[in-house]
Amino acid sequence: MVSIRSVHQTDRPGFQKWLQDLELSSETKEKLRTISETPETLLMGQEMVEILQQLHMDDETLQAALVYPYCEIHDLDHDALLANFGPVITHIVESVRKMKAINSLQSKRFEIDAEQIEKVRNMMLVMVEDVRAIVIKMAERICTLHKIKEEDEESRVLVAKECATIYAPLANRLGIGQLKWELEDLSYRYLHPATYKRVASMLKEKRKAREEYIVDFVAHLQGLLDKENIRAEVIGRPKHIYSIVKKMQKKSLDFEQLFDIRALRIIAERLQDCYAALGTVHTYFTHLPQEFDDYIATPKANGYQSIHTVIEGPQSKSIEIQIRTEQMHQDAELGVAAHWRYKEGSSGKNASADDRVTWLRKILQWQEEMAGGDNLVEEFRSQVFDDRVYVFTPKGDVIDLPVDATPLDFAYYIHTNIGHKCTGAKINGRIVPFTYKLQNGDQVSVLTTKNGTPSRDWMHPGLGYVHTARARATIHSYFKKQDKEKNIEAGKELLERELNKVNLSLKHANDIVEKYNLKTSEDLYSAVGVGDIRVIGLVNSIVQLHSPPEPEPEVTLQRRQRSSSKKAGEAIIAEGVGNLMSQLANCCKPVQGEEIIGFITQGKGVSVHKESCAQLANLLRQFPEREIEVSWASDFEASFECKVDVFTTDRDGILRDITTVLANEKVGLLGVNSRSNKKSFQAQITLSLEVNNKESLNKAIDKLKQIKDVSAVIRVNR
């Protein structure tokens, strides 16, 4: 179920009364009261403060949360933020803004451009530097989920999908139970409204009887614990619809068969009291052995600790009981937020190195969890995460480098001179060789000498001293400057020898200097000599410049039009979007049976593309959150238009042979376009075809390949 806060109430209190009712220090209230005087303070900021106050976040976090919606509405830049709210709030607000790069994690199976990669890496570093940014962002997403209740279905699906696939797993990984369950429940309400309403209705239907049962049992169990002198408190536990649905699906159970419909917690003072309470519960009640888990002895990956057991209570009704200490309870509800404490006027950069290493590992575990699902593409994962290691300087600053980076790579990343003068390195206080591969969380110290110089061996790829192109290029540049005259002579001799083979001379090389962004021919010779420019590629460029190829003639044949009588878009089923309309994209023209992906458009429903569509890749680079899973309806028949390129010898009768094959396969021909080269007697014929599904298309392509003189037939997207 979702939380109802004071700001949701119709007769909500005014700001001063709202502030007074919060359980905050007088100093914090005064700071928030000052910020409230800023014009156009938003109600959403108040809701965010209520969420974060429950997590016991510091004053600065609450202040930043209150003004963040206002800053976004008015698009305040750095100078405006600084003038209005000071450096600390400015830092937090700008860190939260960097969280927008998290949307890229929804992209699927497509290359991500360099700008997005850099944004995500910056976001990762911000998350490591200051946990407050991501906690504020998750609170803002919860508020947005409340806010979009009355908006159109497209808007609700987009936000809910983002929260379910990105923010809920992040809250889980960080152990922030309070945020996790609310993100999951609100997202599920919009993505699967029918199931959500059904389960909510069943919970509400018998709530009174269930609550009375739990109240009576809590009193009975508390009496048993008191009798045994066990210092612990028994309390009821809230029910979350998403977890109920998941358990029903996982165990194939009906609603009434679920154990956590009736649930409670035992909060003990000490660890020994936890196991004493467990002994009491199992002594007085029959327990189900298959439903017992000890997460105190073996904590979950996110640090969660608790004992879970299911017993048979009065009237033979199953009850789930969780047993934990007060500290474990705080950790389960607040997660990393419970450990990341801030002093007044401090920032995340003052946290200890151990805390930041722990926090870093949680973030890396989360990205691994995301990579394991369908929402993080392998290409993206390899560029942003899998090929990166995050290490620390002695001061605790985070540096990200490619995987397999070495201490020398780290030294050159810090500064060129530090790399040149490096004589050794320590990892976590231990001296290691230059060939050591840096690991996530390593603390690296570089040892230098005043008159140190790089070794030529460092450039040798087989020795493994450096891995990054940056370090290798820096070392390469150092030696290039030392031997420039020798490089000029060697390059000149090599280029002249290769040009003579194609009846050209060195004077022809002068015409191409500017193309390589060089100033003189000597710079060109030096680049060839040192290996910056490959001589074969350079010679080919010079040959093309002085002997341009003749253009190929184009022949266009008459096009025949034929219309389809069926709407292929009706063959699409979109996941979790109700009655949202869909249509096939014209850019790639997917055919029934091919792998497809949906893109939620503005006002036109879902546009359905082939997985390999280049235009879809471009759209998802800009709007990754609009991707949605779609599938073909199994009982729908339609005709689809697609194009294929036929590569063949340009001979008489080739078009007749092609049309005969298509007629035999009952494939419609909508249009033909041909390009031929009279010198090589080769032709490329583009066919616009009308097919029923992927199978009929593939069969037609196979038949076309069997035609005499046809060398290849390729399905195209354009």
Side-chain angles (χ1 to χ4, degrees):
M1 305 299 287
V2 298
S3 292
I4 303 298
R5 302 184 174 88
S6 64
V7 296
H8 298 146
Q9 299 170 4
T10 305
D11 57 341
R12 59 178 177 266
F15 182 83
Q16 297 301 332
K17 179 65 168 63
W18 167 80
L19 185 59
Q20 187 62 38
D21 291 342
L22 289 180
E23 296 179 4
L24 300 173
S25 67
S26 57
E27 187 176 4
T28 299
K29 289 181 179 180
E30 185 57 37
K31 289 180 179 179
L32 293 176
R33 186 175 290 110
T34 302
I35 288 181
S36 74
E37 296 172 0
T38 302
E40 301 179 53
T41 298
L42 301 181
L43 193 63
M44 185 172 176
Q46 293 179 235
E47 183 179 1
M48 291 169 65
V49 169
E50 289 191 27
I51 294 171
L52 298 172
Q53 186 261 340
Q54 293 174 336
L55 298 178
H56 308 303
M57 300 302 289
D58 67 324
D59 292 348
E60 292 162 352
T61 305
L62 300 183
Q63 295 170 61
L66 184 61
V67 302
Y68 174 72
Y70 168 80
C71 297
E72 289 300 279
I73 288 291
H74 296 280
D75 196 23
L76 299 186
D77 60 16
H78 177 82
D79 292 339
L81 283 169
L82 205 58
N84 283 280
F85 307 115
V88 177
I89 303 303
T90 297
H91 162 73
I92 298 175
V93 169
E94 290 185 333
S95 295
V96 178
R97 284 175 170 175
K98 290 182 179 178
M99 295 299 103
K100 292 178 182 177
I102 211 168
N103 292 338
S104 298
L105 300 182
Q106 295 183 91
S107 184
K108 184 178 182 179
R109 299 186 183 89
F110 298 100
E111 291 187 4
I112 307 301
D113 61 36
E115 183 179 356
Q116 284 177 294
I117 290 171
E118 191 59 31
K119 284 181 179 178
V120 172
R121 285 180 179 153
N122 288 337
M123 178 198 73
M124 288 277 290
L125 296 180
V126 166
M127 291 166 73
V128 173
E129 294 290 344
D130 201 332
V131 67
R132 296 176 294 184
I134 190 58
V135 176
I136 290 176
K137 184 63 180 178
M138 285 193 284
E140 182 267 337
R141 290 289 85 191
I142 289 175
C143 295
T144 301
L145 285 167
H146 281 292
K147 188 177 178 182
I148 63 171
K149 183 178 180 180
E150 304 302 326
E151 294 189 17
D152 61 88
E153 187 177 19
E154 288 180 23
S155 300
R156 297 197 301 268
V157 167
L158 285 173
V159 175
K161 181 171 174 287
E162 175 193 54
C163 291
T165 58
I166 300 295
Y167 289 101
L170 179 57
N172 176 62
R173 177 55 62 186
L174 303 182
I176 311 178
Q178 284 192 24
L179 300 185
K180 169 186 174 288
W181 73 259
E182 194 161 4
L183 285 164
E184 288 176 340
D185 271 20
L186 287 167
S187 298
Y188 196 82
R189 180 169 71 179
Y190 299 134
L191 292 174
H192 303 277
T195 305
Y196 181 92
K197 290 178 181 177
R198 182 169 62 86
V199 174
S201 176
M202 287 188 290
L203 280 172
K204 184 177 180 180
E205 190 175 304
K206 301 180 180 179
R207 177 177 296 169
K208 185 176 180 180
R210 189 171 57 251
E211 288 179 349
E212 290 177 353
Y213 179 92
I214 289 295
V215 168
D216 292 342
F217 186 76
V218 164
H220 177 56
L221 182 56
Q222 185 70 63
L224 293 176
L225 296 178
D226 293 341
K227 180 182 176 181
E228 299 290 338
N229 295 317
I230 298 172
R231 292 185 286 181
E233 179 185 7
V234 185
I235 58 177
R237 186 166 70 84
K239 325 301 184 300
H240 305 314
I241 289 179
Y242 179 79
S243 63
I244 290 174
V245 173
K246 284 300 177 185
K247 189 162 290 188
M248 289 171 64
Q249 294 173 344
K250 181 179 179 181
K251 299 191 175 184
S252 300
L253 298 174
D254 293 331
F255 180 79
E256 286 300 330
Q257 294 177 293
L258 292 179
F259 304 130
D260 62 353
I261 299 302
R262 293 169 292 273
L264 53 84
R265 289 195 180 105
I266 298 176
I267 308 298
E269 287 190 15
R270 304 167 302 172
L271 179 60
Q272 54 265 45
D273 292 325
C274 290
Y275 288 98
L278 175 66
T280 299
V281 169
H282 284 185
T283 297
Y284 286 93
F285 304 97
T286 302
H287 74 283
L288 307 182
Q290 68 272 21
E291 297 295 334
F292 176 79
D293 292 292
D294 187 352
Y295 295 118
I296 292 180
T298 309
K300 290 186 178 182
N302 63 0
Y304 174 87
Q305 289 184 289
S306 188
I307 297 172
H308 291 194
T309 187
V310 175
I311 61 142
E312 186 178 298
Q315 303 170 34
S316 299
K317 292 183 178 180
S318 299
I319 305 173
E320 183 184 68
I321 300 176
Q322 297 178 352
I323 307 172
R324 61 179 69 155
T325 65
E326 178 62 34
Q327 184 60 56
M328 293 173 188
H329 182 62
Q330 290 296 314
D331 290 347
E333 295 299 301
L334 309 182
V336 71
H339 300 285
W340 200 277
R341 299 304 185 196
Y342 294 86
K343 298 178 181 178
E344 290 298 320
S346 70
S347 72
K349 293 185 179 180
N350 292 330
S352 71
D354 288 343
D355 284 341
R356 293 174 68 207
V357 169
T358 301
W359 169 233
L360 170 67
R361 285 173 179 160
K362 287 180 180 291
I363 295 296
L364 293 170
Q365 287 168 348
W366 166 67
Q367 68 86 6
E368 285 296 335
E369 181 180 292
M370 293 303 304
D374 293 333
N375 297 289
L376 189 60
V377 292
E378 190 64 28
E379 177 68 14
F380 184 91
R381 179 172 176 251
S382 68
Q383 294 188 65
V384 180
F385 296 120
D386 276 6
D387 69 343
R388 310 303 290 182
V389 290
Y390 293 81
V391 296
F392 295 93
T393 67
K395 293 183 178 179
D397 293 327
V398 182
I399 304 296
D400 73 304
L401 294 165
V403 74
D404 291 335
T406 67
L408 275 175
D409 291 310
F410 175 89
Y412 276 106
Y413 181 92
I414 299 300
H415 196 278
T416 298
N417 286 336
I418 291 178
H420 286 341
K421 297 178 180 180
C422 180
T423 58
K426 289 184 178 180
I427 302 297
N428 304 321
R430 179 175 59 89
I431 293 179
V432 297
F434 280 154
T435 54
Y436 173 83
K437 307 298 184 185
L438 299 179
Q439 305 296 315
N440 282 316
D442 280 348
Q443 187 178 66
V444 188
S445 301
V446 179
L447 308 177
T448 61
T449 183
K450 185 176 180 180
N451 299 317
T453 59
S455 166
R456 287 185 182 274
D457 288 341
W458 292 358
M459 291 188 296
H460 195 300
L463 298 178
Y465 290 122
V466 295
H467 174 73
T468 64
R470 174 176 177 170
R472 188 172 286 107
T474 304
I475 300 167
H476 183 74
S477 176
Y478 174 87
F479 287 107
K480 184 167 67 174
K481 292 176 181 177
Q482 307 296 316
D483 304 319
K484 186 172 183 179
E485 291 301 322
K486 294 180 181 178
N487 293 331
I488 291 174
E489 191 62 34
K492 185 177 181 180
E493 181 180 341
L494 178 60
L495 181 58
E496 185 176 28
R497 183 171 67 247
E498 293 300 321
L499 286 173
N500 287 337
K501 295 179 181 179
V502 291
N503 298 320
L504 295 174
S505 64
L506 281 175
K507 68 178 183 180
H508 294 101
N510 297 332
D511 300 330
I512 207 164
V513 170
E514 290 187 3
K515 178 181 177 180
Y516 285 86
N517 296 318
L518 300 172
K519 295 181 179 179
T520 67
S521 57
E522 287 192 344
D523 292 335
L524 184 68
Y525 302 150
S526 177
V528 173
V530 79
D532 286 343
I533 297 178
R534 294 182 178 273
V535 67
I536 299 301
L538 176 60
V539 170
N540 287 337
S541 297
I542 296 172
V543 170
Q544 291 178 13
L545 183 65
H546 291 277
S547 304
E550 295 182 6
E552 294 183 347
E554 181 176 307
V555 178
T556 303
L557 301 181
Q558 185 176 2
R559 176 185 172 93
R560 179 171 67 91
Q561 294 290 345
R562 177 179 172 185
S563 62
S564 172
S565 60
K566 298 187 178 182
K567 296 179 180 179
E570 296 176 7
I572 304 302
I573 300 175
E575 179 71 21
V577 295
N579 297 321
L580 202 61
M581 64 178 179
S582 62
Q583 64 278 329
L584 302 182
N586 288 325
C587 53
C588 57
K589 297 186 182 300
V591 172
Q592 188 170 19
E594 293 182 315
E595 296 297 325
I596 51 176
I597 293 177
F599 180 83
I600 301 175
T601 64
Q602 293 183 337
K604 296 182 179 180
V606 176
S607 177
V608 180
H609 299 253
K610 288 178 58 179
E611 272 194 357
S612 57
C613 176
Q615 184 162 329
L616 176 62
N618 183 51
L619 288 170
L620 291 181
R621 277 194 287 268
Q622 302 176 61
F623 310 103
E625 72 281 2
R626 292 181 173 272
E627 178 186 341
I628 190 166
E629 291 186 11
V630 293
S631 59
W632 296 102
S634 58
D635 58 348
F636 188 88
E637 293 184 2
S639 57
F640 300 83
E641 181 181 353
C642 60
K643 291 185 178 182
V644 297
D645 279 342
V646 179
F647 297 87
T648 178
T649 300
D650 189 11
R651 63 170 172 81
D652 291 338
I654 186 63
L655 282 178
R656 182 192 62 231
D657 293 347
I658 289 174
T659 55
T660 299
V661 166
L662 296 177
N664 291 339
E665 294 301 318
K666 295 182 174 57
V667 172
L669 181 60
L670 303 180
V672 180
N673 186 277
S674 174
R675 289 173 59 90
S676 60
N677 188 316
K678 299 303 181 183
K679 290 185 176 181
S680 62
F681 298 102
Q682 296 298 308
Q684 176 182 335
I685 303 173
T686 301
L687 307 174
S688 293
L689 306 178
E690 185 180 52
V691 298
N692 293 327
N693 49 45
K694 180 183 177 182
E695 184 180 351
S696 63
L697 172 62
N698 289 341
K699 189 175 180 181
I701 289 175
D702 289 339
K703 293 293 184 180
L704 290 171
K705 288 179 179 178
Q706 296 174 22
I707 297 175
K708 180 182 178 183
D709 296 324
V710 169
S711 57
V713 181
I714 301 173
R715 171 80 191 281
V716 296
N717 293 329
R718 61 173 182 264

Short mmCIF file of all heavy atoms in Angstrom, two decimals, residues 611-643:
data_model
loop_
_atom_site.label_atom_id
_atom_site.label_comp_id
_atom_site.label_asym_id
_atom_site.label_seq_id
_atom_site.Cartn_x
_atom_site.Cartn_y
_atom_site.Cartn_z
N GLU A 611 14.71 -4.66 -33.86
CA GLU A 611 15.78 -4.49 -32.89
C GLU A 611 16.99 -3.80 -33.51
O GLU A 611 17.68 -3.02 -32.87
CB GLU A 611 16.21 -5.84 -32.32
CG GLU A 611 15.42 -6.25 -31.12
CD GLU A 611 16.09 -7.39 -30.39
OE1 GLU A 611 17.14 -7.87 -30.88
OE2 GLU A 611 15.58 -7.80 -29.35
N SER A 612 17.25 -4.09 -34.78
CA SER A 612 18.46 -3.58 -35.44
C SER A 612 18.26 -2.22 -36.08
O SER A 612 19.15 -1.72 -36.77
CB SER A 612 18.92 -4.59 -36.51
OG SER A 612 17.87 -4.82 -37.45
N CYS A 613 17.12 -1.59 -35.90
CA CYS A 613 16.81 -0.32 -36.57
C CYS A 613 17.74 0.80 -36.09
O CYS A 613 17.82 1.08 -34.89
CB CYS A 613 15.36 0.07 -36.31
SG CYS A 613 14.90 1.67 -37.00
N ALA A 614 18.43 1.45 -37.02
CA ALA A 614 19.36 2.52 -36.68
C ALA A 614 18.63 3.74 -36.13
O ALA A 614 19.13 4.41 -35.22
CB ALA A 614 20.17 2.91 -37.92
N GLN A 615 17.46 4.03 -36.69
CA GLN A 615 16.72 5.21 -36.20
C GLN A 615 16.23 4.99 -34.77
O GLN A 615 16.23 5.91 -33.96
CB GLN A 615 15.52 5.50 -37.11
CG GLN A 615 14.76 6.77 -36.70
CD GLN A 615 13.88 7.29 -37.83
OE1 GLN A 615 14.18 7.14 -39.00
NE2 GLN A 615 12.79 7.92 -37.45
N LEU A 616 15.84 3.77 -34.45
CA LEU A 616 15.45 3.46 -33.08
C LEU A 616 16.63 3.64 -32.14
O LEU A 616 16.49 4.17 -31.04
CB LEU A 616 14.91 2.04 -32.99
CG LEU A 616 14.56 1.56 -31.58
CD1 LEU A 616 13.45 2.41 -30.97
CD2 LEU A 616 14.16 0.09 -31.58
N ALA A 617 17.81 3.20 -32.58
CA ALA A 617 19.01 3.36 -31.76
C ALA A 617 19.25 4.84 -31.46
O ALA A 617 19.57 5.22 -30.33
CB ALA A 617 20.22 2.77 -32.48
N ASN A 618 19.05 5.69 -32.46
CA ASN A 618 19.23 7.12 -32.28
C ASN A 618 18.19 7.69 -31.31
O ASN A 618 18.50 8.51 -30.44
CB ASN A 618 19.13 7.83 -33.63
CG ASN A 618 19.37 9.32 -33.52
OD1 ASN A 618 20.35 9.76 -32.94
ND2 ASN A 618 18.46 10.10 -34.06
N LEU A 619 16.93 7.24 -31.44
CA LEU A 619 15.86 7.71 -30.54
C LEU A 619 16.14 7.30 -29.10
O LEU A 619 15.95 8.10 -28.17
CB LEU A 619 14.52 7.13 -30.99
CG LEU A 619 13.91 7.70 -32.28
CD1 LEU A 619 12.72 6.88 -32.71
CD2 LEU A 619 13.52 9.16 -32.09
N LEU A 620 16.62 6.06 -28.90
CA LEU A 620 16.85 5.58 -27.54
C LEU A 620 18.09 6.21 -26.91
O LEU A 620 18.21 6.23 -25.69
CB LEU A 620 16.96 4.06 -27.54
CG LEU A 620 15.66 3.31 -27.84
CD1 LEU A 620 15.87 1.82 -27.78
CD2 LEU A 620 14.56 3.72 -26.86
N ARG A 621 19.01 6.70 -27.76
CA ARG A 621 20.13 7.45 -27.19
C ARG A 621 19.63 8.75 -26.56
O ARG A 621 20.17 9.20 -25.56
CB ARG A 621 21.16 7.76 -28.28
CG ARG A 621 22.14 6.63 -28.55
CD ARG A 621 23.32 7.09 -29.37
NE ARG A 621 22.96 7.34 -30.76
CZ ARG A 621 23.05 6.44 -31.72
NH1 ARG A 621 23.48 5.22 -31.43
NH2 ARG A 621 22.71 6.72 -32.96
N GLN A 622 18.59 9.33 -27.15
CA GLN A 622 18.05 10.59 -26.64
C GLN A 622 16.99 10.37 -25.56
O GLN A 622 16.93 11.11 -24.59
CB GLN A 622 17.43 11.39 -27.79
CG GLN A 622 18.39 11.71 -28.93
CD GLN A 622 17.68 12.42 -30.07
OE1 GLN A 622 17.14 13.51 -29.91
NE2 GLN A 622 17.69 11.81 -31.24
N PHE A 623 16.15 9.32 -25.73
CA PHE A 623 15.05 9.10 -24.80
C PHE A 623 14.99 7.63 -24.38
O PHE A 623 14.07 6.89 -24.73
CB PHE A 623 13.71 9.48 -25.45
CG PHE A 623 13.70 10.84 -26.08
CD1 PHE A 623 13.79 10.99 -27.46
CD2 PHE A 623 13.62 11.98 -25.29
CE1 PHE A 623 13.78 12.24 -28.05
CE2 PHE A 623 13.61 13.24 -25.86
CZ PHE A 623 13.69 13.38 -27.24
N PRO A 624 15.99 7.14 -23.64
CA PRO A 624 16.02 5.71 -23.28
C PRO A 624 14.82 5.28 -22.44
O PRO A 624 14.44 4.11 -22.46
CB PRO A 624 17.34 5.58 -22.50
CG PRO A 624 17.63 6.96 -22.00
CD PRO A 624 17.12 7.88 -23.06
N GLU A 625 14.24 6.21 -21.68
CA GLU A 625 13.12 5.85 -20.83
C GLU A 625 11.86 5.49 -21.60
O GLU A 625 10.89 4.94 -21.05
CB GLU A 625 12.81 7.00 -19.85
CG GLU A 625 12.16 8.24 -20.48
CD GLU A 625 13.14 9.16 -21.20
OE1 GLU A 625 14.35 8.83 -21.25
OE2 GLU A 625 12.71 10.19 -21.71
N ARG A 626 11.81 5.81 -22.93
CA ARG A 626 10.62 5.55 -23.73
C ARG A 626 10.60 4.15 -24.34
O ARG A 626 9.67 3.79 -25.06
CB ARG A 626 10.48 6.62 -24.83
CG ARG A 626 10.17 7.99 -24.27
CD ARG A 626 10.00 9.05 -25.36
NE ARG A 626 9.55 10.29 -24.79
CZ ARG A 626 8.28 10.61 -24.59
NH1 ARG A 626 7.33 9.76 -24.93
NH2 ARG A 626 7.93 11.75 -24.05
N GLU A 627 11.64 3.37 -24.10
CA GLU A 627 11.66 2.00 -24.62
C GLU A 627 10.65 1.13 -23.87
O GLU A 627 10.46 1.27 -22.66
CB GLU A 627 13.05 1.41 -24.46
CG GLU A 627 13.16 -0.02 -24.91
CD GLU A 627 14.52 -0.61 -24.60
OE1 GLU A 627 15.48 0.16 -24.37
OE2 GLU A 627 14.64 -1.83 -24.59
N ILE A 628 9.97 0.24 -24.58
CA ILE A 628 9.01 -0.66 -23.94
C ILE A 628 9.01 -1.99 -24.68
O ILE A 628 9.23 -2.05 -25.89
CB ILE A 628 7.60 -0.03 -23.91
CG1 ILE A 628 6.67 -0.86 -23.04
CG2 ILE A 628 7.02 0.11 -25.32
CD1 ILE A 628 5.38 -0.15 -22.70
N GLU A 629 8.78 -3.07 -23.94
CA GLU A 629 8.75 -4.41 -24.53
C GLU A 629 7.45 -4.61 -25.31
O GLU A 629 6.37 -4.30 -24.82
CB GLU A 629 8.89 -5.46 -23.45
CG GLU A 629 10.26 -5.49 -22.80
CD GLU A 629 10.39 -6.65 -21.84
OE1 GLU A 629 9.51 -7.54 -21.85
OE2 GLU A 629 11.37 -6.67 -21.08
N VAL A 630 7.57 -5.14 -26.51
CA VAL A 630 6.40 -5.45 -27.33
C VAL A 630 6.59 -6.84 -27.94
O VAL A 630 7.70 -7.35 -28.02
CB VAL A 630 6.18 -4.41 -28.46
CG1 VAL A 630 5.79 -3.05 -27.90
CG2 VAL A 630 7.43 -4.29 -29.33
N SER A 631 5.49 -7.43 -28.39
CA SER A 631 5.56 -8.76 -29.02
C SER A 631 4.47 -8.86 -30.08
O SER A 631 3.51 -8.09 -30.09
CB SER A 631 5.41 -9.86 -27.97
OG SER A 631 4.16 -9.73 -27.30
N TRP A 632 4.63 -9.85 -30.96
CA TRP A 632 3.64 -10.07 -32.02
C TRP A 632 2.47 -10.90 -31.47
O TRP A 632 2.66 -11.84 -30.71
CB TRP A 632 4.27 -10.83 -33.18
CG TRP A 632 5.36 -10.10 -33.89
CD1 TRP A 632 6.69 -10.30 -33.76
CD2 TRP A 632 5.21 -9.06 -34.86
NE1 TRP A 632 7.40 -9.45 -34.57
CE2 TRP A 632 6.50 -8.67 -35.27
CE3 TRP A 632 4.12 -8.41 -35.42
CZ2 TRP A 632 6.73 -7.68 -36.21
CZ3 TRP A 632 4.33 -7.42 -36.36
CH2 TRP A 632 5.62 -7.05 -36.74
N ALA A 633 1.27 -10.52 -31.85
CA ALA A 633 0.10 -11.31 -31.50
C ALA A 633 0.13 -12.62 -32.29
O ALA A 633 0.37 -12.62 -33.50
CB ALA A 633 -1.19 -10.54 -31.80
N SER A 634 -0.10 -13.74 -31.62
CA SER A 634 0.07 -15.05 -32.27
C SER A 634 -1.06 -15.38 -33.26
O SER A 634 -0.87 -16.19 -34.15
CB SER A 634 0.14 -16.14 -31.20
OG SER A 634 -1.04 -16.12 -30.40
N ASP A 635 -2.21 -14.75 -33.10
CA ASP A 635 -3.37 -15.13 -33.93
C ASP A 635 -3.73 -14.06 -34.96
O ASP A 635 -4.88 -13.97 -35.40
CB ASP A 635 -4.58 -15.39 -33.04
CG ASP A 635 -4.93 -14.19 -32.17
OD1 ASP A 635 -4.11 -13.24 -32.11
OD2 ASP A 635 -6.02 -14.19 -31.56
N PHE A 636 -2.75 -13.24 -35.38
CA PHE A 636 -3.07 -12.15 -36.30
C PHE A 636 -2.36 -12.39 -37.63
O PHE A 636 -1.20 -12.77 -37.68
CB PHE A 636 -2.61 -10.81 -35.71
CG PHE A 636 -3.07 -9.62 -36.51
CD1 PHE A 636 -4.30 -9.02 -36.28
CD2 PHE A 636 -2.27 -9.09 -37.52
CE1 PHE A 636 -4.71 -7.93 -37.01
CE2 PHE A 636 -2.68 -8.01 -38.26
CZ PHE A 636 -3.91 -7.42 -38.00
N GLU A 637 -3.08 -12.16 -38.74
CA GLU A 637 -2.50 -12.31 -40.07
C GLU A 637 -2.56 -10.96 -40.78
O GLU A 637 -3.58 -10.28 -40.77
CB GLU A 637 -3.26 -13.35 -40.87
CG GLU A 637 -3.11 -14.77 -40.33
CD GLU A 637 -3.79 -15.79 -41.21
OE1 GLU A 637 -4.34 -15.38 -42.26
OE2 GLU A 637 -3.76 -16.98 -40.87
N ALA A 638 -1.46 -10.57 -41.41
CA ALA A 638 -1.39 -9.29 -42.12
C ALA A 638 -0.29 -9.37 -43.16
O ALA A 638 0.48 -10.33 -43.22
CB ALA A 638 -1.13 -8.14 -41.15
N SER A 639 -0.22 -8.37 -44.03
CA SER A 639 0.86 -8.27 -45.00
C SER A 639 1.78 -7.13 -44.60
O SER A 639 1.34 -6.13 -44.06
CB SER A 639 0.29 -8.03 -46.41
OG SER A 639 -0.51 -6.86 -46.42
N PHE A 640 3.08 -7.31 -44.86
CA PHE A 640 4.09 -6.34 -44.44
C PHE A 640 4.97 -5.99 -45.64
O PHE A 640 5.32 -6.85 -46.44
CB PHE A 640 4.96 -6.93 -43.33
CG PHE A 640 4.20 -7.32 -42.11
CD1 PHE A 640 3.56 -8.55 -42.03
CD2 PHE A 640 4.14 -6.47 -41.02
CE1 PHE A 640 2.86 -8.92 -40.89
CE2 PHE A 640 3.44 -6.83 -39.87
CZ PHE A 640 2.80 -8.06 -39.81
N GLU A 641 5.34 -4.72 -45.70
CA GLU A 641 6.26 -4.29 -46.76
C GLU A 641 7.69 -4.30 -46.23
O GLU A 641 7.95 -3.87 -45.10
CB GLU A 641 5.91 -2.87 -47.23
CG GLU A 641 6.83 -2.39 -48.36
CD GLU A 641 6.51 -0.97 -48.82
OE1 GLU A 641 5.49 -0.42 -48.36
OE2 GLU A 641 7.29 -0.42 -49.62
N CYS A 642 8.62 -4.79 -47.03
CA CYS A 642 10.03 -4.80 -46.65
C CYS A 642 10.88 -4.69 -47.92
O CYS A 642 10.37 -4.80 -49.03
CB CYS A 642 10.38 -6.08 -45.89
SG CYS A 642 10.08 -7.58 -46.84
N LYS A 643 12.17 -4.44 -47.73
CA LYS A 643 13.08 -4.28 -48.86
C LYS A 643 14.25 -5.24 -48.76
O LYS A 643 14.74 -5.54 -47.67
CB LYS A 643 13.59 -2.84 -48.92
CG LYS A 643 12.53 -1.82 -49.29
CD LYS A 643 13.13 -0.42 -49.46
CE LYS A 643 12.05 0.58 -49.89
NZ LYS A 643 12.62 1.94 -50.09
#
